[in-house]
Amino acid sequence: MSESESEVQAEGEPATTGASDPKPGKAKPTKNLPTDRVGKDTQFSILRAYAKASEDQNRGAVSNADVARFANISPSSISVCNPFWNEVGLVVREGIKQRPADAVFAYDQAAEWGGERPMSKLAPLLMNSWFGKPLLARLSLKSATLNEALSFLAEECKATPDYKPQLQLLLEYLESAGLITIDGNTVTRASRSTDNQPAEPASPTPTSSEGAPLDQPAIGTKRFAIPIPDKQDAVVMLPENMDEDDWAMVSAFLKTYVNRAWKFSRGPSVSKDKDQTNTL
């Protein structure tokens, strides 16, 4: 089979996990995982090559062979990366070619300029992916051990222990994008910040009525972080010993507060127009 025939077959076939040929009877995950045939750093280099190959064709869709010329790697090594990237949205399939997402162009440009964390440009796609969104929500409540994080991801895609190396790659994608921190055996959600922004002057740390910093739960309370794409998390701290009536009261208060805040965020003209309508 020629190289071009191999490329068409690889790009036209159904998505796979990118893993080595499974053993007979080995169950496949329900989601595409990063390939274990190509190293993490090489995968990131191929993503940049996608951007350069597409730029060379007015940001059009490109073939594996087009990308291979910039990545200096065989087209078959590129094709095994595509299923996972398609599912995450890093590249979009167009026939037998692929078009890189805008975030991939931004990543390549940031890397070209030597940014501190160019992979952060991929964070919006990764944090809303099938693995990023649920794991980040889980880590918003509390940190996890490495095995706990891997088990959580395995449950999300029904993966067996055979796919542990590829599940580990999922964590490395999130860590490279600045979404999580892996410190030894502990996985935590990284604090949200914007790269390359000048540091703001230090300000007094807001505290609760009990004097505890608002970014740390006081004794006897729990901190809940609600992920909001492309924005800071909404954070709520509640007592641990709340009963059913307490939850009902807090729910009613939050609903009233959110409705009122939304009303005033629309500006005074909205309320004024409504009042004039009521007087007609």
Side-chain angles (χ1 to χ4, degrees), residues 31 136 207 221:
K31 300 288 186 180
L136 292 174
T207 59
T221 65

Side-chain angles (χ1 to χ4, degrees), residues 5-42:
E5 290 173 331
S6 175
E7 177 185 343
V8 171
Q9 181 180 11
E11 291 188 336
E13 66 187 7
T16 65
T17 60
S20 303
D21 293 336
K23 300 175 183 178
K26 178 179 176 181
K28 292 184 179 180
T30 57
K31 300 288 186 180
N32 287 309
L33 300 175
T35 180
D36 60 355
R37 299 181 187 177
V38 180
K40 177 191 68 174
D41 292 339
T42 301

Side-chain angles (χ1 to χ4, degrees), residues 144-152 164 168 171 182 184-187:
T145 66
L146 188 57
N147 280 337
E148 286 173 343
L150 292 173
S151 297
F152 181 87
K164 184 176 180 179
Q168 176 73 46
L171 295 179
I182 303 176
N185 192 44
T186 304
V187 182

Side-chain angles (χ1 to χ4, degrees), residues 31-34 83-90 122-138 152-153 156-157 167 169-175 177 179-180 227 229-230:
K31 300 288 186 180
N32 287 309
L33 300 175
F84 171 67
W85 292 343
N86 286 152
E87 185 144 23
V88 175
L90 294 172
L122 305 180
L125 287 175
L126 295 177
M127 73 183 297
N128 288 303
S129 64
W130 66 264
F131 61 96
K133 190 171 184 177
L135 180 62
L136 292 174
R138 159 71 173 78
F152 181 87
L153 293 175
E156 290 294 316
C157 64
L167 296 173
L169 276 173
L170 293 178
L171 295 179
E172 292 178 7
Y173 264 81
L174 295 175
E175 182 182 35
L179 294 172
I180 65 171
D230 301 325

